[in-house]
Amino acid sequence: MTVFIDPAQRIGTISPKLHGQFIEYLGTCINEGIWVGEDSPIPNTKGYRNDVLDALKQLKPPVLRWPGGCYADMYHWRDGIGPREERPVTFNENFGTFEREDNQFGTDEFLQLCEMIGAEPWININMLSGTIQEMKDWMEYCNRAEDTTLSRLRAANGHSEPYNVKYWGIGNEVWSGGGTMTPQTYMDEYRRFASAMPKFTQSVFETSPMYAIASGPDSNKPRESVKWTEDVFTALSEYRQPPIHGYDMHFYNWNVSDPADTPTEFTREGWNRVISGCLELEDLIVEQAALVDSSIQRVPEPEGPLDSKLTHVDLVLGEWGNWHYSAFSAQPALKQQVTMRDAITTALTLDLLQRHCDVLTMACNAQTVNVLNSLILTEGEDMVITPNYDVFMMYQAHRGARALSIPRQDKETGVYTFASEKDGVITVDLVNASMDAATDVELLFASPVDVVSVRRLEADDPHSCNTPESPDAVRSYQVDAPAETGASHTLSLPAASVTVLTARVL
């Protein structure tokens, strides 16, 4: 196999926000996973457990989505502010959690976490059981700089300066748990909520920094997702358009056809099923991007010179990841282990997101801690980093780089490839998705390069995972880089491995 890499063949610039993360009140994702409280015997900083906080600081997620997900549509933000001993106790039935919620981790805790780890916050409002006024007050609390009752309340709670939250989701999965709406009923509600968003400007001619995100389709339903997007944009193009900047599609790699297949016990057939399943997302992104673009073209011209016309909507992916059958009955809710099968699909998914950076601007892995496609797992005082975390760390060099046009896969060996270039450095991803067959690959660059490093993630057994007893069973490591300088470099790729090579153009 020979992969030709020419840094002049560019697709577009990779938004760092394609490496985003998602946390929700599910199981122990937030409570016990991120937040333990200041009185916990688990070492913590102001209530955030130190081991997870340190890992997130190294990860540097560009965007962090919260409080849901489905939980957002039952969440009332005032329950989570002010003195913690005075916050109401509620009950969480979200996706089988079935636990009381003490609301100790709320708006200020989330936004201060974002500040500590360098993430830009994405907040989903409560559209189902909340009100427009509740949304307006939440945005005012987070962002108002002027002296108002809500900005004073924020200051009294410890943050005098505005948080300047830009990204606001208006509804979540409204086709299901977010209201079981039709596109028409959703757009009727969306128009009201989006039109009421505070602009935080000083002039009617000034562009608002707020970024409204609409609920896109359930991309696991191929026919419904097409019809949903068509109908949403048909309703949107009727008369004047409300603010809309992002369109949020969701996709899970469902592994639910075989109850005997678990996160750590699977056959070669199960391995291949999950690998091929994650790749379905690529065609769905292309399809949705084309639908959005063609729909925008049908928006009528405004009659007046002061009327605006909708000319562009970003496509975003608010939730993605592997969902294995056993997660439905897991306790804590939706907790599942992570092996090289999940790491391979995480790498393949990130590569396809990056490859379509010309149409996709933001994406969030579901979820960061203790839920589904986790990067971090905690159990009491113990914490382990999963192989998914290693993949995100290995891929950090792609953030802000220019995606290069190279083949997605070599048909002969089955190796999946991706490359980007930034400041004269080319980063190449090589994913050998075969469960048991090693192979060689030749990289042929358009001009001579000096290979700077080669980093690899693999396991002696593809069923292996990291546990408190064996926290580094699956861990990335540095491989000796080819010593020679030149245009051609050959690498041997172990079975079930992710390899990232960086080379400087001479």
Side-chain angles (χ1 to χ4, degrees):
M1 170 190 176
T2 299
V3 179
F4 180 67
I5 302 171
D6 183 356
Q9 300 298 314
R10 300 171 178 174
I11 298 171
T13 300
I14 300 166
S15 168
K17 292 182 176 64
L18 291 176
H19 288 205
Q21 296 293 326
F22 172 36
I23 61 174
E24 185 176 4
Y25 298 91
L26 268 173
T28 55
C29 178
I30 294 176
N31 297 320
E32 299 182 37
I34 296 172
W35 178 264
V36 292
E38 295 169 328
D39 297 330
S40 173
I42 297 174
N44 68 86
T45 299
K46 298 181 179 179
Y48 308 92
R49 55 183 301 160
N50 288 341
D51 47 8
V52 173
L53 189 60
D54 289 344
L56 292 177
K57 287 179 178 178
Q58 294 179 55
L59 182 68
K60 301 175 185 175
V63 64
L64 189 61
R65 183 172 178 257
W66 169 89
C70 295
Y71 191 81
D73 282 311
M74 298 296 164
Y75 183 68
H76 299 281
W77 70 273
R78 288 182 183 271
D79 291 348
I81 63 168
R84 295 195 188 99
E85 66 275 8
E86 297 177 9
R87 298 182 188 182
V89 176
T90 56
F91 196 79
N92 182 359
E93 294 184 351
N94 190 28
F95 263 106
T97 297
F98 299 118
E99 291 181 359
R100 56 178 278 164
E101 173 55 58
D102 295 340
N103 289 297
Q104 299 299 285
F105 184 98
T107 299
D108 292 292
E109 287 78 16
F110 168 65
L111 293 175
Q112 288 168 29
L113 170 66
C114 289
E115 290 179 343
M116 287 189 287
I117 65 176
E120 194 159 0
W122 166 354
I123 292 180
N124 274 3
I125 64 130
N126 182 345
M127 189 182 193
L128 179 62
S129 63
T131 66
I132 291 174
Q133 188 62 53
E134 186 176 10
M135 174 199 71
K136 284 173 57 67
D137 288 350
W138 200 0
M139 296 181 71
E140 292 279 344
Y141 178 86
C142 292
N143 291 349
R144 182 59 64 190
E146 291 82 1
D147 182 23
T148 67
T149 298
L150 285 166
S151 66
R152 291 175 190 170
L153 179 60
R154 182 189 66 235
N157 290 333
H159 206 276
S160 58
E161 296 300 314
Y163 287 110
N164 296 320
V165 179
K166 174 181 179 179
Y167 297 103
W168 295 89
I170 312 299
N172 172 78
E173 295 187 356
V174 297
W175 30 262
S176 185
T180 324
M181 299 184 189
T182 65
Q184 292 76 19
T185 56
Y186 172 56
M187 287 313 301
D188 286 344
E189 288 298 296
Y190 180 88
R191 284 179 177 275
R192 297 173 64 239
F193 275 82
S195 297
M197 294 174 65
K199 295 180 174 58
F200 302 103
T201 59
Q202 301 297 319
S203 164
V204 294
F205 298 105
E206 185 180 345
T207 300
S208 172
M210 298 299 97
Y211 186 101
I213 303 172
S215 178
D218 177 359
S219 298
N220 289 99
K221 306 288 191 300
R223 293 190 301 274
E224 180 185 291
S225 64
V226 170
K227 189 70 165 62
W228 179 272
T229 297
E230 290 176 342
D231 289 350
V232 161
F233 279 88
T234 295
L236 188 65
S237 64
E238 294 176 350
Y239 299 96
R240 305 179 193 189
Q241 294 83 56
I244 175 172
H245 306 94
Y247 186 62
D248 179 18
M249 62 184 289
H250 289 182
F251 174 83
Y252 283 98
N253 185 19
W254 292 103
N255 179 32
V256 297
S257 61
D258 180 7
D261 185 302
T262 75
T264 58
E265 297 295 330
F266 47 83
T267 62
R268 182 180 289 104
E269 179 185 2
W271 171 281
N272 292 334
R273 179 177 59 249
V274 173
I275 300 301
S276 62
C278 82
L279 297 172
E280 295 174 7
L281 175 59
E282 186 144 29
D283 290 339
L284 296 169
I285 289 173
V286 172
E287 180 179 66
Q288 285 294 316
L291 285 168
V292 172
D293 184 63
S294 62
S295 298
I296 292 293
Q297 304 307 315
R298 294 194 294 271
V299 173
E301 293 293 327
E303 290 190 67
L306 296 180
D307 295 333
S308 61
K309 177 187 176 182
L310 183 66
T311 58
H312 178 78
V313 176
D314 291 336
L315 184 64
V316 301
L317 180 64
E319 297 179 24
W320 67 267
N322 286 349
W323 192 315
H324 299 295
Y325 184 90
S326 60
F328 286 106
S329 57
Q331 287 298 325
L334 299 190
K335 190 171 186 177
Q336 58 188 33
Q337 255 294 356
V338 175
T339 68
M340 277 305 301
R341 182 170 65 164
D342 303 290
I344 292 288
T345 59
T346 294
L348 292 175
T349 301
L350 284 175
D351 281 341
L352 72 86
L353 300 182
Q354 295 168 164
R355 187 160 48 248
H356 293 283
C357 62
D358 55 335
V359 297
L360 197 67
T361 60
M362 187 159 58
C364 297
N365 169 66
Q367 295 182 12
T368 313
V369 184
N370 287 339
V371 169
L372 299 178
N373 205 54
S374 305
L375 279 63
I376 298 168
L377 296 174
T378 67
E379 188 173 330
E381 295 184 357
D382 296 317
M383 182 206 77
V384 296
I385 298 297
T386 77
N388 284 342
Y389 181 93
D390 290 63
V391 173
F392 272 90
M393 292 295 290
M394 293 165 69
Y395 276 33
Q396 282 186 340
H398 293 302
R399 299 177 185 180
R402 289 168 290 277
L404 303 182
S405 179
I406 66 173
R408 182 183 86 164
Q409 182 187 26
D410 174 64
K411 294 181 179 179
E412 179 182 348
T413 64
V415 171
Y416 293 88
T417 64
F418 176 80
S420 72
E421 183 273 335
K422 183 178 181 181
D423 299 329
V425 174
I426 299 176
T427 303
V428 185
D429 304 335
L430 299 165
V431 182
N432 183 0
S434 171
M435 185 175 175
D436 49 22
T439 190
D440 292 340
V441 58
E442 179 191 14
L443 301 181
L444 181 60
F445 294 87
S447 60
V449 299
D450 180 24
V451 176
V452 177
S453 71
V454 179
R455 193 162 191 87
R456 178 167 295 146
L457 178 66
E458 63 167 328
D460 293 335
D461 181 344
H463 302 89
S464 296
C465 59
N466 296 331
T467 65
E469 296 74 30
S470 185
D472 297 317
V474 187
R475 191 90 299 137
S476 67
Y477 62 94
Q478 204 69 23
V479 178
D480 290 339
E484 69 278 4
T485 294
S488 175
H489 298 273
T490 299
L491 287 84
S492 296
L493 306 179
S497 65
V498 179
T499 300
V500 176
L501 175 144
T502 57
R504 184 170 297 281
V505 178
L506 300 177

